[in-house]
Amino acid sequence: MFYDYVKINVKAGDGGNGAVAFRREKYVPAGGPSGGDGGRGGDVVLVVDPNLRTLIDYHYKKHYKAERGEHGRGKDQHGRDGADLILRVPPGTVVRDAAGAFCVDMVKPGQRLVVARGGKGGRGNARFVTPQMRAPRFAERGDPGEERWLELELKLLAEVGLVGFPNAGKSSLLRRISSARPKVASYPFTTLEPHLGLVKIGEDDSFVVADLPGLIEGAHDGHGLGHRFLRHVERTRVLIHVVDTAGTEGRDPREDVRVINRELELYNPDLAARPMVIAANKMDLPGAAENLALLRREFPQVKIYPISALNGTGVDPLLHEVYSILKATGEAEPEVGEPEVRFVTAPEERGYRIEVKDGVFEVSGKGVELLVARLDLENPDALRYFHHILSRIGLEETLREKGIRPGDVVRIKGFEFEWQD
Ligand SMILES: Nc1nc2c(ncn2[C@@H]2O[C@H](COP(=O)(O)OP(=O)(O)OP(=O)(O)O)[C@@H](O)[C@H]2O)c(=O)[nH]1
Ligand SMILES: [Mg+2]
């Protein structure tokens, strides 16, 4: 099997918790708070590895988790940050957040994408000392690491695609023009997965050709090996349509061309518009010459190259034509430059919203929700700090403006408290 689509779950490391600790030293009568901060959780990072060709590794394992941050300790010792988890993917992997947050095409070797951010470490109690609170007996919890489902889809990076019916001779042609060694046999669907071959033109020019499993009528709808492999044609810039000109299986080569063109169009209309040349194959067999003439009459607008993948006749002119089309439509190959880092996470949201329902003041917003998640509000010191922050960000004032009265309930992310003036 060739794995070109997988769905995986990634979870960044949670932040470590801050510590609550106090110094107990000789000669320091009332030791100050000394709880260290928790470490940051590791990120999950995808990196393009040019040595990979498929997504098979991700087929067997679905869940990936980066290391969590260490908890803070006494004596102001901070927890160690969690290590990032690096996931290698082949060039041409399209990474999609299953919930639709982003879609990134990973093509350049070394290109990196952070797909889940580690949680921030919680601050230790040493950080909450104020003149009003000299010995805080609380610390923050670490933030949870991000978690999401990703869809990875591999679309091979080949400039030229070989399409055609099973047994037309696509693999034979690839063997003839490159050092790739796809299997060749006289039964249909010999090729079950795409193969790439590097075709050399002259001294230092080359292009990559993909040999794809054969198509049949209804492929776009899942017949035969179906459209599963057509996604690999999407990125190619030129198609070589390989036809069994000798009609060795009793079909009319003209009908073969029509059927395949229709399948391409039904799968993706862009494909029908892609530059295409016809490789009229098996010219060494009887009947091929007559059929070639019929093909030329039927498709005068298409360049048709008579070839024999078996003995190599006609292959060079075909390759030169393909090469000159590539040159003419010249889009630079993805250059290997600076590895690219793109962060996908939205910056932390500021502000909050207040909704009043049945005497309950429901407050939402990332900042206040994080505040609730980070603190143990059963702890009286933490609760004091919490109210201090609410007043500092102007929330208490806003609630008063909204007409809150003693006895009303304020709710933030499941945490409720009664309002007192
Ligand atoms: N006589 C002759 N036979 C050929 C030629 N090209 C391919 N064949 C034969 O046709 C059969 C099919 O060739 P393949 O290269 O496996 O065809 P394919 O298009 O890759 O087929 P699938 O992988 O099944 O889609 C084999 O028996 C080849 O030897 C040719 O130019 N002349
Ligand atoms: Mg084949």
Side-chain angles (χ1 to χ4, degrees), residues 207-228:
F207 53 84
V208 177
V209 177
D211 170 26
L212 299 170
L215 296 168
I216 58 170
E217 180 146 28
H220 75 279
D221 220 11
H223 290 267
L225 288 176
H227 66 276
R228 232 170 79 62

Side-chain angles (χ1 to χ4, degrees), residues 23 57 80 114 236 306 324 332 346 367 381 410 417:
R23 259 173 241 119
D57 297 347
R80 203 171 38 80
V114 177
T236 60
S324 65
D381 282 358
V410 179
F417 61 95

